[in-house]
Amino acid sequence: AFDSWGATNITKNWTTISGTNNAADRVHNIAIGGAEVQAAVLGFTTPLIAGAQILNFGFQPEVVLFLWSGAVSAALPTNQTHRSLGMGAMTATRQWAWVVNSQDNVNPANTQRGQWTNWCISALNFLGAVSFQAHFVSMDPTGATILWVTPGAAAYHISALALAGISAQIGSYNKSVAP
């Protein structure tokens, strides 16, 4: 867990990691600061019915980043037998999302992936069908609004980081196939 930060360092307090791979792994972080920066983290779940969802951050964000681990409805933190990871982003003019997943201990191997520029949150099941999906509606004075077109079959966990007071752009491009 995050404890504190100062002008030159970040202090974290680690709890015991469960599972079979307790090796020392590299941890990456990013620090964003400045007098004008506003940041808020929000944990929420997918709704069970389609419709608008208001995300209250307490300020109007310039960019919102989303992170989810597939269709996880159990209390966090939790372990998954199969792997799934998704990330999305939205500003007032653009959005994107990607997801990758891999089913454990199956033959033949079963992996899925997806990338979208018309959704800020999207997940696939292990058959490759959409399991939940939402797109940007608006940046509001105290948060943002997203629209769930495909709600979750259960209340799946999603984390959001909202930032304001920074210069942020998101985008996507097609990779060149020419050498």
Side-chain angles (χ1 to χ4, degrees), residues 49-107:
I49 58 172
Q53 184 174 21
I54 297 169
L55 307 175
N56 187 0
F57 299 113
F59 59 88
Q60 183 169 348
E62 292 169 25
V63 64
V64 180
L65 304 174
F66 299 98
L67 188 66
W68 59 94
S69 183
V72 175
S73 57
L76 298 178
T78 187
N79 289 330
Q80 290 180 263
T81 303
H82 310 296
R83 302 292 181 239
S84 185
L85 180 66
M87 184 175 182
M90 68 182 191
T91 64
T93 59
R94 293 189 173 140
Q95 62 187 334
W96 54 252
W98 59 258
V99 66
V100 294
N101 59 27
S102 176
Q103 201 167 10
D104 186 45
N105 198 27
V106 295
N107 186 9

Side-chain angles (χ1 to χ4, degrees), residues 8-9 15 20-21 27 60 75 101 115 132 147 152 157 169:
T8 60
N9 59 11
T15 57
T20 57
N21 183 7
V27 176
Q60 183 169 348
N101 59 27
Q115 300 177 70
F132 55 85
L147 180 66
H157 294 278
Q169 293 292 325

Side-chain angles (χ1 to χ4, degrees), residues 1 6 29 34 89 91 97 99 108 137 158-159 164:
N29 60 46
T91 64
V99 66
V137 174
I158 299 177
S159 297

